Amino acid sequence: MSGLIARYRDRLPVTAATPIVTLDEGATPLLRADRLAAAAGLRLGSVHLKFEGANPTGSFKDRGMTLAMSKALEEHSRGVLCASTGNTAASAAAYSARAGLRCVVFLPRGAVAAGKLAQAMMHGAEIVDVPGNFDEALAAALAVAAEQGFTVVNSSNPYRIEGQKTAAFEVVEALGRAPDFQFMPVGNAGNITAYWKGYKELGGARPKMMGFQAAGAAPLVLGHAVKNPKTLATAIRIGDPYSRAGALAARDESGGAIAAVSDAEIVAAYRFLAREEGVFCEPASAAGVAGLLKLARAGRKPRGVVVCVLTGHGLKDPETAQKTPCRRRTFRAGRRFQL
Ligand SMILES: *Cc1c(COP(=O)(O)O)cnc(C)c1O
């Protein structure tokens, strides 16, 4: 069986007539993270990383895209369209290349990490630069799509959420139970909505959902939209989340929280994961881990089994990675080299 839809067909809205567009997404690693557990003062073996960077295009967006693209093909769509901080565009571009559908991506100008833009270009997406931020790009994309009959593959597309909920199924399969806490980044808030849906559908115990926004882009923490969201974590630089209601329901129904972490805390967690755990995620992906470390420092340690979702691969954003201090010297032939 290849891909999410094949594995979870009975829990997804597909029929025998649905043409399946897949790149064999999902089945990502759940890695035990003992150095992170130690840094947070938690029991060894209690903290795990769900590494969504191991998906075909390097982010969790592939989970929703396999289903959204399959349904678009089934519905004889003219083409697909999205607004994106980069990963949705990269995923839509790859899956529409596979489906043979036209793909148009609306990108906030200057705010998309290099790896993501490279993917969209390579897979043949048509790029529309929007002078403005993600929220403005999304408004533009939704208006154009409604007028011209393209399928929107943002997380406003319900099939995206359906596909993404499968990550919760995988976590429970890997642990043999639901975790007690799940820490994750929150941007447009589709993913926290999707995980919560997945855990609820499984029945039984559910984790407390702990969502983290960047302090400069924290509308769900502030309780109002943010006009000019600011953070180096471009994947969560969103001022007016589409799935606000879903995120707040996940928080309230689970007894969890949605809080903010600073860019400095995000970068510290991002570097820690790469150096101490060997897991290279993109900056936004580290927001949940930054939140875990922040709570632990404040003496509010979670009890029990903890899963941190790492949403995307570090290679997506080489610019930020290359600003990390590193020990680097030049080799001179003929001179002794001291290690
Ligand atoms: C899309 C994305 C997010 C935010 O997910 P939402 O569903 O918008 O909350 C976080 N991290 C990465 C790497 C992403 O691509």
Side-chain angles (χ1 to χ4, degrees):
M1 277 190 296
S2 165
L4 282 182
I5 298 177
R7 281 196 295 281
Y8 297 110
R9 169 161 219 117
D10 53 335
R11 290 181 252 179
L12 294 171
V14 291
T15 68
T18 311
I20 306 303
V21 184
T22 179
L23 288 162
D24 201 1
E25 56 294 313
T28 56
L30 188 74
L31 304 164
R32 180 173 155 152
D34 280 353
R35 291 211 179 85
L36 175 57
L42 301 177
R43 189 171 49 77
L44 299 191
S46 68
V47 179
H48 305 265
L49 305 171
K50 180 65 171 162
F51 186 45
E52 291 290 281
N55 275 299
T57 78
S59 85
F60 76 83
K61 301 298 198 297
D62 295 344
R63 291 183 184 275
M65 209 54 75
T66 181
L67 191 59
M69 205 64 70
S70 298
K71 296 303 282 190
L73 206 54
E74 182 177 5
E75 290 157 12
H76 305 290
S77 172
R78 285 180 64 201
V80 305
L81 180 152
C82 68
S84 177
T85 62
N87 280 334
T88 297
S91 185
Y95 282 83
S96 54
R98 204 148 170 92
L101 281 173
R102 228 179 118 188
C103 177
V104 183
V105 301
F106 285 58
L107 305 180
R109 181 180 284 165
V112 174
K116 306 174 188 183
L117 185 58
Q119 288 176 290
M121 293 169 69
M122 281 302 296
H123 292 303
E126 299 164 47
I127 294 171
V128 182
D129 283 309
V130 181
N133 60 30
F134 170 80
D135 304 289
E136 290 159 323
L138 180 58
L142 294 177
V144 171
E147 194 188 286
Q148 300 187 38
F150 266 52
T151 303
V152 176
V153 292
N154 280 99
S155 50
S156 54
N157 180 321
Y159 300 124
R160 282 275 312 278
I161 304 293
E162 285 297 308
Q164 285 171 212
K165 77 183 180 189
T166 60
F169 302 163
E170 291 178 13
V171 168
V172 172
E173 282 163 29
L175 292 172
R177 52 166 287 188
D180 297 295
F181 287 85
Q182 177 164 304
F183 286 75
M184 61 189 300
V186 174
N188 219 18
N191 208 27
I192 192 168
T193 302
Y195 268 98
W196 185 237
K197 185 167 199 289
Y199 285 123
K200 285 203 294 190
E201 285 184 13
L202 287 174
R206 304 159 190 173
K208 293 192 189 312
M209 301 296 287
M210 309 295 288
F212 289 86
Q213 302 202 286
L220 298 176
V221 181
L222 297 170
H224 58 78
V226 174
K227 260 221 149 48
N228 292 305
K230 288 193 178 68
T231 169
L232 99 171
T234 51
I236 53 172
R237 189 188 288 161
I238 291 170
D240 192 9
Y242 185 86
S243 297
R244 167 193 313 271
L248 298 181
R251 177 193 69 186
D252 297 341
E253 291 169 22
S254 73
I258 297 181
V261 285
S262 69
D263 277 11
E265 289 165 337
I266 289 173
V267 169
Y270 163 72
R271 290 180 181 166
F272 180 93
L273 289 167
R275 295 220 176 166
E276 304 292 330
E277 294 289 1
V279 180
F280 185 22
C281 65
E282 67 172 281
S285 303
V289 171
L292 171 63
L293 291 169
K294 184 176 184 169
L295 285 189
R297 271 197 310 277
R300 292 166 55 206
K301 284 184 211 168
R303 276 178 201 281
V305 176
V306 172
V307 166
C308 299
V309 179
L310 303 181
T311 44
H313 202 288
L315 289 171
K316 294 277 193 173
D317 187 353
E319 301 100 324
T320 305
Q322 285 167 4
K323 288 180 188 135
T324 301
C326 106
R327 191 167 179 213
R328 185 170 180 177
R329 293 172 284 168
T330 301
F331 181 80
R332 311 251 176 232
R335 279 207 224 158
R336 190 184 129 77
F337 189 82
Q338 178 70 45
L339 288 177

